[in-house]
Amino acid sequence: MGVRSLLLPWTLVALLATVCSAESAWHGHTTAGSTKVSRFTPYYVPPGAKSYDSSSPLLHYTGDWSESFSSKYVQKSARVSKTSGAGVSFTYTGTGVEWFGSLGPKRGIAQVYLDGKLAERVDMFNNVSMSQQRIFWSLDLPQGKHTLKIVNTGEKSSESKGTVMDVDALVVTQGPPPPEALTQQNMAVSYSEMPSYPPLLDMSSKFIPEDEWTLIQNGSTGVHAMQLVIISDTHALIVDKVEHNPLTVSGHPAWAALYNLRTHALKPLPMQSNSFCAGGTFLSNGTLVNVGGNPVVEDHTAAADFGDVDGLQAIRIFEPCEAANVDDCWIYENHSRIRMASPRWYNTVLRISDGSAMIIGGSLKGGWINNQTTNNPTIEYFPPKNIAGSDGLPVHLPFLVDTLFSNLFPIAFSLPDGTVFMAANRDAMIYDWKTNTERRLPRIPNGVRVTYPMTGTGLLLPLSPENDYTPEILLCGGSTIDDTKPGYEISSQDPASSQCSRIVLTDAGIAAGWQVEQMPQARTMPDAVLLPTGDVLIVNGAGSGISGYGNVVDQVGASNADNPVLTPVLYDPNGPVGQRFSSAGMPSSDIPRLYHSVATLTPNGDIMIAGSNPNLDRSEVKYGTEYRVEWLGPSYLKKERPQILGGVPKLLGFGKAAQLKIRLPSTTAQGASIKVALMDLGYVTHAVHANSRLVYLEHSLSSDSSMLTITAPPNGNIYPPGPGFIYVVVDGVPSTGARLLIGDGQSPPVDQQALENMLEQTSVDQYEKSKGKSGEDDSE
Ligand SMILES: *[C@@H]1O[C@H](CO)[C@@H](O)[C@H](O)[C@H]1NC(C)=O
Ligand SMILES: *[C@@H]1O[C@H](CO)[C@@H](O)[C@H](O)[C@H]1NC(C)=O
Ligand SMILES: *[C@@H]1O[C@H](CO)[C@@H](O)[C@H](O)[C@H]1NC(C)=O
Ligand SMILES: *[C@@H]1O[C@H](CO)[C@@H](O)[C@H](O)[C@H]1NC(C)=O
Ligand SMILES: *[C@@H]1O[C@H](CO)[C@@H](O)[C@H](O)[C@H]1NC(C)=O
């Protein structure tokens, strides 16, 4: 695992002279077309990266080394040392370096230094010999010149029979060019050639230093962050697709990991099936489910490489993992017992009022824009339910037929009357799942499409007892590109939408329809993050193009989108119309966050930003696979914050009260505004922030201001039973979040008959079975 450090700013993004064509194949090192299971060799040179062989004159060896020749080595040679003090140093220019070599029973311990500082002590012992292994990696150093030094310590673990180490190859990630070279080019592009992307409104007049936000780059996700969910006070779960990530598990790249929010340490998680592109939710008992995916990666990266299994019907179980020590946290899969009835790729997963998971839509297999053949216009539940006679089988949803083609990853939220809001493409509805009835809402104005691949984002605005939990939906960004067009008629330069639309879901609100506002910058693939203050942070995304990779004209690398939007904007839903957006005090990033980017609020109250990977496999060509993490710190982090000192119960039943011991900031005046935010931080993927929710709680403060009595929401319609975080917000400054489980903590209801019927009537991994036969798409 690499060392973590701050990246020096380089301004905006390089306009590389050559636009590289889309990567058409994987770069696994098994025979093309092979499906035979053989050992994976992690050695991989992403497009745009450079490999230096052990015999390169740029590697300077000191001490005792010998050269070893074998077909198992990269370029058939490696340098080997057995003695203490033998070292190699290598100076490179870029952001990342990886050391490939061998593990085995006679291997010792090496120390790795980066720029003179000890980065890691690595033990190369393994009871089986394996070559072309990634022994060390660091992918998040500031762009520039760095020196890697590897030294044989002459030490070994007790099991090892020797102190051997070798250097087979070093792979350098060049990273983006330095800032100076960029600014001019980029300005030229964004301002003269592209007048349709207005620069941020100049808000400098409003700027108060106290309002300044911070942006820190620290940590690396190890697996690309396609999906992100906070699982505890200390950890996030990151889920990717099967690809050549640097983080390794069981001798092959990992595609899931736990990320320590405090130390930035990673724990790779083995995962059976391909989770590209799954959705997820917590259930009422605190267990997380990760649902859907894609078949086994084909051809060069077939089972022979990674050992993944078909994920299209997968329901992956991640039991509660609340301690800071995550050694015993694993993902469990067993498709013969736990699975969906039908294959789903790009489904949305939502926790509903009884604490179970509603699984919405998706395609029957991976592709791009949905169509009649691939569409899975149904809903199913985990655990399975008997709805309108479905007896555990999928329930047909006309809305998902009518909203073709751009309707994957529907935007959905549980509403405070137990029904579900759903938006797909240009349409929206309220779905009563108990009776299987749809109530269509007015069409989203101005032809704006909001779901994949015309990706916008959506939130349920904060609910509060003061306004009787009146639900209001906010949708932002997306695109007006005609979704009947083939890829070759769509360009990465087609402008995104700057529109935000709001609708109050009462009869009067629906009659009044959508209220439209404009963001200061257009965005496709934005992320919208609710803050405990009730504000909405909008971050990430592109000013032009469309989601996905490898489909349109003018691709940048393989990206279907371009013109990354690098400055976040804050939206105050209660501000005066026309003055709700502000980027005052907002830092700009230098890391493009396009397709497959994520952002979430953390328990600490800052925003974790990760991802971007508009590529089939890990790539270092613009726009490459991004592992660097950024932490956006709202200005409130610098102020004296209220503290929750104790009294947060593990479990809080609906309507039940709890007494929190708190400390208000010393400056708190009489009559200060105190709010208590109960938040679900959501399951984030593809700009869908499923389950993201903020419910303000009724509360009262003791006369000495040391005790705060809070009352849980009245029922599971207001807050579907499951985990949440409590933030106490005083005059706009939140405490850190305290985790608890809302409801009775019980598992969601199980309809045994529906469950058994579903298992009987449907088969496991249907796509893999039907693959190759004609009519494979009629698997529903
Ligand atoms: C190698 O180690 C693994 C786990 O550390 C163990 O399960 C396995 O039995 C060992 N194999 C041999 C040949 O010792
Ligand atoms: C990154 O995080 C680590 C661990 O919390 C910390 O020690 C280090 O100072 C941080 N670096 C920066 C640049 O914030
Ligand atoms: C998977 O489920 C089947 C059917 O219930 C069971 O026989 C098998 O032992 C399970 N496998 C694992 C690894 O849990
Ligand atoms: C539907 O989508 C799939 C997956 O992208 C594609 O292979 C197929 O050709 C499409 N079918 C039609 C009729 O467009
Ligand atoms: C929660 O419920 C799900 C669905 O029944 C089950 O798979 C899981 O094991 C349960 N978790 C706990 C902690 O009881």
Side-chain angles (χ1 to χ4, degrees):
M1 195 182 312
V3 291
R4 316 286 165 236
S5 64
L6 184 76
L7 184 89
L8 294 175
W10 57 278
T11 312
L12 305 179
V13 181
L15 187 82
L16 295 181
T18 46
V19 174
C20 304
S21 61
E23 280 305 312
S24 56
W26 292 72
H27 294 258
H29 284 255
T30 35
T31 321
S34 165
T35 52
K36 212 171 86 224
V37 177
S38 62
R39 180 167 292 138
F40 188 90
T41 52
Y43 176 72
Y44 169 72
V45 186
K50 194 158 183 228
S51 180
Y52 296 84
D53 191 58
S54 55
S55 59
S56 162
L58 298 175
L59 276 63
H60 298 287
Y61 296 92
T62 50
D64 276 352
W65 290 87
S66 60
E67 191 151 23
S68 175
F69 299 93
S70 160
S71 58
K72 70 185 181 197
Y73 296 131
V74 176
Q75 304 276 335
K76 300 197 169 45
S77 75
R79 293 289 169 99
V80 183
S81 103
K82 289 180 191 158
T83 49
S84 169
V88 57
S89 77
F90 171 66
T91 297
Y92 65 94
T93 301
T95 56
V97 68
E98 296 167 81
W99 162 27
F100 292 90
S102 311
L103 303 174
K106 291 185 187 160
R107 302 278 152 169
I109 293 169
Q111 292 196 155
V112 183
Y113 299 82
L114 281 170
D115 299 330
K117 278 204 297 223
L118 180 64
E120 201 173 320
R121 201 177 140 85
V122 243
D123 185 353
M124 292 155 288
F125 170 80
N126 195 63
N127 56 11
V128 187
S129 291
M130 297 199 283
S131 53
Q132 298 188 29
Q133 301 296 305
R134 186 182 286 99
I135 307 228
F136 170 84
W137 59 275
S138 158
L139 294 180
D140 55 359
L141 281 193
Q143 162 62 238
K145 210 171 226 195
H146 300 285
T147 300
L148 169 80
K149 185 163 188 205
I150 307 170
V151 179
N152 191 337
T153 61
E155 292 161 32
K156 60 178 197 67
S157 66
S158 54
E159 309 110 296
S160 177
K161 298 184 190 70
T163 57
V164 185
M165 63 170 271
D166 68 20
V167 173
D168 190 352
L170 301 177
V171 173
V172 171
T173 302
Q174 262 117 351
E180 295 74 29
L182 288 172
T183 318
Q184 288 314 314
Q185 288 176 10
N186 206 76
M187 299 279 281
V189 170
S190 46
Y191 298 117
S192 64
E193 291 167 37
M194 316 207 98
S196 55
Y197 306 103
L200 265 180
L201 304 179
D202 179 13
M203 309 227 179
S204 47
S205 53
K206 288 208 310 193
F207 178 75
I208 314 165
E210 209 189 39
D211 288 344
E212 200 170 354
W213 291 42
T214 55
L215 185 67
I216 295 168
Q217 187 224 315
N218 201 348
S220 172
T221 54
V223 301
H224 159 256
M226 173 194 283
Q227 304 164 44
L228 175 65
V229 56
I230 301 290
I231 57 152
S232 67
D233 293 331
T234 52
H235 282 81
L237 168 65
I238 295 171
V239 179
D240 189 20
K241 63 184 177 188
V242 174
E243 65 182 318
H244 281 93
N245 288 310
L247 192 65
T248 300
V249 69
S250 327
H252 63 71
W255 56 93
L258 292 173
Y259 187 103
N260 188 315
L261 302 168
R262 293 177 187 163
T263 65
H264 309 285
L266 291 170
K267 172 192 152 124
L269 287 176
M271 176 121 84
Q272 278 180 27
S273 62
N274 188 359
S275 44
F276 171 57
C277 292
T281 183
F282 288 101
L283 304 173
S284 51
N285 59 14
T287 292
L288 180 83
V289 289
N290 177 257
V291 181
N294 218 21
V296 170
V297 169
E298 300 282 350
D299 303 326
H300 297 271
T301 45
D305 277 6
F306 292 83
D308 58 319
V309 306
D310 182 2
L312 274 166
Q313 279 169 265
I315 296 183
R316 309 173 188 87
I317 306 281
F318 185 75
E319 299 289 11
C321 166
E322 277 146 33
N325 181 335
V326 293
D327 289 352
D328 294 327
C329 300
W330 303 105
I331 293 176
Y332 175 78
E333 267 182 86
N334 185 345
H335 299 188
S336 63
R337 200 163 68 77
I338 301 171
R339 67 155 182 274
M340 285 190 283
S342 57
R344 292 178 198 269
W345 177 82
Y346 284 59
N347 52 174
T348 294
V349 186
L350 185 69
R351 187 166 79 254
I352 53 174
S353 52
D354 69 356
S356 44
M358 173 189 273
I359 304 163
I360 309 164
S363 275
L364 294 169
K365 65 167 186 180
W368 186 43
I369 301 189
N370 203 8
N371 61 42
Q372 287 93 343
T373 316
T374 53
N375 198 17
N376 185 347
T378 66
I379 279 181
E380 59 185 288
Y381 297 86
F382 180 75
K385 288 186 187 299
N386 185 2
I387 300 287
S390 65
D391 207 6
L393 297 176
V395 179
H396 182 72
L397 203 63
F399 179 73
L400 292 175
V401 176
D402 298 345
T403 52
L404 281 171
F405 298 97
S406 173
N407 70 353
L408 293 177
F409 271 125
I411 294 170
F413 290 98
S414 290
L415 296 177
D417 65 354
T419 61
V420 169
F421 168 86
M422 231 180 263
N425 209 345
R426 287 177 292 179
D427 291 293
M429 69 147 176
I430 294 172
Y431 181 62
D432 185 336
W433 58 270
K434 290 178 185 151
T435 59
N436 185 32
T437 45
E438 299 181 358
R439 174 182 181 183
R440 299 292 174 103
L441 295 171
R443 182 161 264 199
I444 298 160
N446 304 317
V448 176
R449 303 174 199 277
V450 296
T451 49
Y452 182 91
M454 317 291 178
T455 309
T457 191
L459 282 178
L460 172 66
L461 291 174
L463 298 171
S464 81
E466 277 86 63
N467 70 357
D468 205 18
Y469 306 106
T470 302
E472 185 167 5
I473 296 288
L474 172 74
L475 302 176
C476 289
S479 167
T480 54
I481 295 172
D482 178 356
D483 68 348
T484 61
K485 277 187 182 174
Y488 57 79
E489 288 180 19
I490 298 174
S491 163
S492 68
Q493 307 303 313
D494 289 346
S497 169
S498 59
Q499 177 170 296
C500 289
S501 318
R502 278 170 73 161
I503 191 166
V504 178
L505 297 177
T506 56
D507 287 337
I510 293 167
W514 294 93
Q515 309 300 310
V516 168
E517 297 168 87
Q518 303 299 325
M519 295 185 282
Q521 288 175 302
R523 291 182 201 243
T524 178
M525 304 177 269
D527 282 291
V529 179
L530 273 171
L531 304 184
T533 56
D535 289 335
V536 174
L537 178 85
I538 298 172
V539 64
N540 297 344
S544 68
I546 178 172
S547 291
Y549 50 80
N551 310 103
V552 305
V553 296
D554 305 324
Q555 288 167 34
V556 183
S559 173
N560 289 349
D562 195 8
N563 295 289
V565 188
L566 299 167
T567 309
V569 62
L570 194 66
Y571 176 75
D572 171 5
N574 302 316
V577 177
Q579 295 174 38
R580 290 177 179 162
F581 291 100
S582 169
S583 287
M586 285 283 183
S588 289
S589 174
D590 46 28
I591 303 179
R593 304 284 187 184
L594 305 173
Y595 187 47
H596 289 154
S597 296
V598 288
T600 181
L601 182 71
T602 72
N604 180 42
D606 57 356
I607 294 101
M608 176 180 181
I609 300 171
S612 196
N613 187 19
N615 297 287
L616 178 65
D617 194 358
R618 180 178 156 204
S619 170
E620 297 297 338
V621 171
K622 184 187 180 186
Y623 294 107
T625 307
E626 189 54 68
Y627 295 99
R628 293 172 294 177
V629 184
E630 288 170 298
W631 308 86
L632 181 64
S635 53
Y636 57 60
L637 290 186
K638 291 185 294 199
K639 306 202 170 134
E640 190 192 345
R641 299 174 69 181
Q643 286 174 278
I644 302 177
L645 302 172
V648 180
K650 281 212 139 21
L651 191 65
L652 186 61
F654 289 114
K656 293 283 185 324
Q659 287 211 312
L660 311 188
K661 197 164 159 14
I662 61 161
R663 181 180 296 144
L664 297 180
S666 53
T667 53
T668 310
Q670 200 74 49
S673 142
I674 299 184
K675 298 196 274 188
V676 182
L678 166 64
M679 299 187 72
D680 187 321
L681 306 182
Y683 187 101
V684 187
T685 186
H686 291 77
V688 170
H689 291 240
N691 306 301
S692 175
R693 201 175 193 85
L694 194 173
V695 179
Y696 285 115
L697 302 184
E698 307 214 34
H699 60 272
S700 62
L701 188 64
S702 65
S703 52
D704 67 354
S705 297
S706 71
M707 298 297 274
L708 190 66
T709 304
I710 61 167
T711 306
N715 57 54
N717 292 343
I718 308 290
Y719 192 93
F725 286 86
I726 299 259
Y727 299 81
V728 174
V729 188
V730 179
D731 285 334
V733 179
S735 65
T736 60
R739 195 169 188 274
L740 79 181
L741 202 51
I742 300 291
D744 61 10
Q746 296 300 301
S747 297
V750 176
D751 181 328
Q752 201 58 37
Q753 158 65 27
L755 172 62
E756 280 164 21
N757 186 54
M758 187 279 281
L759 291 174
E760 260 167 46
Q761 302 284 318
T762 66
S763 55
V764 185
D765 300 343
Q766 295 155 26
Y767 176 77
E768 292 295 319
K769 288 199 179 67
S770 61
K771 191 168 69 172
K773 280 193 239 152
S774 61
E776 63 177 27
D777 293 325
D778 303 323
S779 47
E780 195 194 342

